């Protein structure tokens, strides 16, 4: 841990590390939910949906990378065991037991909306006290906003395709 880097943090670092670890658990669960969803999804526009879910999976993993790196910079330990993910997660995990494309999209939209809430509140928390975390969180939040929009746009395309015209 860089000494000066930690000195400039003007907030409760232990509390921030706990919240970042919750977000780290969320990111791993989001990664797997997208990754396995892309494997099992069935229905209209499947190929476009698989491409988007697969890309989002890699982006969630990159968020996990950013958060784990920041936790270490702050002097904390990133969550060490997958068993901990479900215990500390803020956004949970929705197993894609129904493989139909719209159901999987709905589950992932719900996950993105939770992520947007979580990162938006982390922005408020770090705005004054930790500009480095703030900057990272803003980067992640921007991508979660993009994810929600991508999924909702796909859903809209599917709805339009399935709509019966008189
Ligand atoms: Fe993410
Ligand atoms: Fe996301
Ligand atoms: Mg996308």
């Amino acid at each position: 841990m860089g000494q000066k880097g930690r000195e400039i943090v003007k907030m409760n670092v232990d509390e921030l590390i706990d919240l970042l670890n919750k977000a780290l658990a969320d990111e791993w669960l989001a990664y797997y939910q997208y990754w396995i969803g892309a494997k099992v999804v069935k229905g209209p526009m499947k190929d476009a949906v698989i491409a988007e879910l697969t890309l989002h999976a890699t982006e969630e993993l990159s968020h996990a990378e950013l958060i784990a790196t920041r936790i270490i910079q702050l002097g904390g330990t990133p969550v060490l065991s997958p068993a901990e993910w479900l215990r500390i997660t803020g956004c949970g995990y929705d197993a894609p037991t129904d493989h139909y494309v719209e159901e999987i999209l709905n589950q992932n939209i719900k996950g993105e909306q939770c992520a947007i809430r979580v990162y938006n509140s982390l922005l408020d928390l770090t705005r004054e006290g930790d500009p480095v975390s703030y900057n990272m969180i803003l980067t992640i939040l921007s991508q979660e906003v993009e994810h929600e929009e991508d999924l909702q746009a796909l859903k809209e395309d599917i709805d339009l395709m399935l709509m019966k015209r008189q």
Side-chain angles (χ1 to χ4, degrees), residues 57-144:
T58 67
E59 288 168 344
E60 305 306 0
L61 197 55
S62 79
H63 301 164
E65 172 76 39
L66 288 170
I67 295 167
T69 301
R70 185 63 188 145
I71 289 170
I72 290 167
Q73 286 176 353
L74 289 166
T77 305
V79 57
L80 293 174
S81 163
E84 290 288 290
W85 295 341
L86 283 170
R87 198 178 64 77
I88 66 173
T89 176
C91 290
Y93 180 81
D94 275 335
T97 48
D98 182 340
H99 300 172
Y100 187 63
V101 65
E102 283 206 281
E103 186 49 36
I104 288 183
L105 288 174
N106 283 337
Q107 288 179 325
N108 286 314
I109 288 167
K110 193 177 129 222
E112 292 299 343
Q113 289 174 343
C114 182
I116 289 168
R117 279 195 302 277
V118 165
Y119 289 117
N120 197 45
S121 77
L122 278 170
L123 267 194
D124 288 341
L125 190 78
T126 54
R127 182 173 278 113
E128 302 298 330
D130 183 359
V132 177
S133 291
Y134 179 88
N135 186 54
M136 174 196 75
I137 292 158
L138 184 58
T139 300
I140 298 175
L141 176 62
S142 308
Q143 211 157 44
E144 308 301 13

Side-chain angles (χ1 to χ4, degrees), residues 3-16:
Q3 188 192 347
K4 200 68 189 170
R6 192 168 186 184
E7 272 172 27
I8 60 166
V9 177
K10 297 282 180 272
M11 61 182 298
N12 184 329
V13 175
D14 292 337
E15 183 200 354
L16 178 60

